[in-house]
Amino acid sequence: MKEVEIRCFVRENIGKAESKRLRKQGFIPAVVYGPEIDNINISVSTDEFRSMLSEYGTSCIFTLNINDGKKTIPTIVKQIQRDYLGTDIIHLDFYRIYKDKEIHVSIPIVAVNRAKGEIEGGVLDQSMFSVEVSGLPVNVPPVLEVDVSNLEIGDNYTIGDLETPEGVKLLDSPDRVVFTVVPPKGMEIEEEVVAEEVEEEEAPAEGEEEGEKVEPSEESTT
């Protein structure tokens, strides 16, 4: 995981009124917690955090530079709380990590290249956009890129097909589907029509059982 440093300051006062005041001044109220550490209430620059979030996402180590270097703490973003519109960040949770201990994090899954099935008219459907993994922070990648170029129409790509760096374990079920190349609607209709035609051709005549020959009745021969 990439490591970035962000400045922050200890909050002496807490509560809704204080949090509202900080947000008006361009800061996000936050808290740091984790093993072997007491909770620390801090604030970070809204613009600085948004810039880092846009460039690196949450799949990186945020080293908190507290009070101009008086203390530094390596963390990962555990939770981002937004307002009711889902736009403004109103609170952050940072989780203290240790570089020599495994972490459990969620990392994005991104498709690269164009699937063979797409070229043939299909649509690449992505049903999972992130995956839970565990590993040492230095080994966990910021994103998992999947080359989908060999996927044909009707093919599935599952969690079990994902390739991870050495020392990184996938925690989600290997049977969960990540990508599917969905056939075009026209192809589905065509297949259904063909199936119906085959059924009609193979349907036995009335009174005839499969594998038996219909013999004329005595009435029909007189």
Side-chain angles (χ1 to χ4, degrees):
M1 297 179 76
K2 185 175 180 61
E3 185 172 354
V4 297
E5 184 173 287
I6 185 169
R7 294 174 301 165
C8 57
F9 300 92
V10 173
R11 290 187 289 143
E12 300 297 340
N13 301 316
I14 59 175
K16 291 184 178 180
E18 177 65 12
S19 295
K20 187 175 181 180
R21 184 186 69 81
L22 284 171
R23 286 191 284 268
K24 283 185 176 181
Q25 293 180 346
F27 291 91
I28 304 172
V31 63
V32 188
Y33 60 90
E36 303 175 20
I37 185 176
D38 293 329
N39 290 7
I40 305 174
N41 294 305
I42 60 172
S43 62
V44 300
S45 165
T46 301
D47 291 341
E48 188 175 359
F49 182 78
R50 279 189 173 277
S51 176
M52 290 184 175
L53 188 65
S54 175
E55 185 171 356
Y56 306 111
T58 57
S59 300
C60 67
I61 299 172
F62 285 87
T63 297
L64 304 180
N65 182 335
I66 301 176
N67 291 355
D68 295 325
K70 291 183 179 179
K71 191 172 188 177
T72 57
I73 303 176
T75 69
I76 56 174
V77 176
K78 199 68 172 178
Q79 185 178 37
I80 298 177
Q81 296 181 30
R82 298 181 183 270
D83 63 6
Y84 69 97
L85 295 175
T87 52
D88 293 336
I89 300 173
I90 61 174
H91 193 273
L92 295 169
D93 286 14
F94 291 98
Y95 183 79
R96 204 268 195 246
I97 65 168
Y98 296 88
K99 296 180 181 180
D100 60 347
K101 294 183 180 180
E102 286 192 351
I103 57 173
H104 291 191
V105 292
S106 176
I107 57 176
I109 303 173
V110 177
V112 295
N113 298 321
R114 193 179 183 195
K116 182 178 179 181
E118 287 184 285
I119 299 173
E120 296 172 349
V123 177
L124 182 68
D125 179 63
Q126 184 170 356
S127 53
M128 287 187 67
F129 293 87
S130 62
V131 61
E132 296 291 326
V133 301
S134 66
L136 294 177
V138 68
N139 295 331
V140 176
V143 63
L144 281 181
E145 294 186 341
V146 177
D147 182 0
V148 298
S149 58
N150 290 326
L151 293 183
E152 300 184 359
I153 291 176
D155 284 351
N156 290 329
Y157 190 100
T158 66
I159 290 293
D161 296 320
L162 290 171
E163 296 181 1
T164 59
E166 185 177 354
V168 177
K169 300 176 184 177
L170 297 168
L171 302 180
D172 286 303
S173 170
D175 296 328
R176 294 189 64 182
V177 175
V178 181
F179 297 103
T180 301
V181 182
V182 182
K185 291 183 179 180
M187 182 176 293
E188 291 179 346
I189 294 172
E190 183 179 343
E191 289 177 351
E192 290 174 0
V193 171
V194 171
E196 290 175 2
E197 290 177 352
V198 171
E199 288 177 2
E200 290 177 0
E201 291 175 1
E202 294 180 351
E206 185 176 352
E208 178 184 7
E209 295 183 5
E210 186 178 355
E212 293 183 356
K213 183 178 180 181
V214 177
E215 298 290 347
S217 64
E218 293 182 1
E219 293 181 357
S220 63
T221 58
T222 57

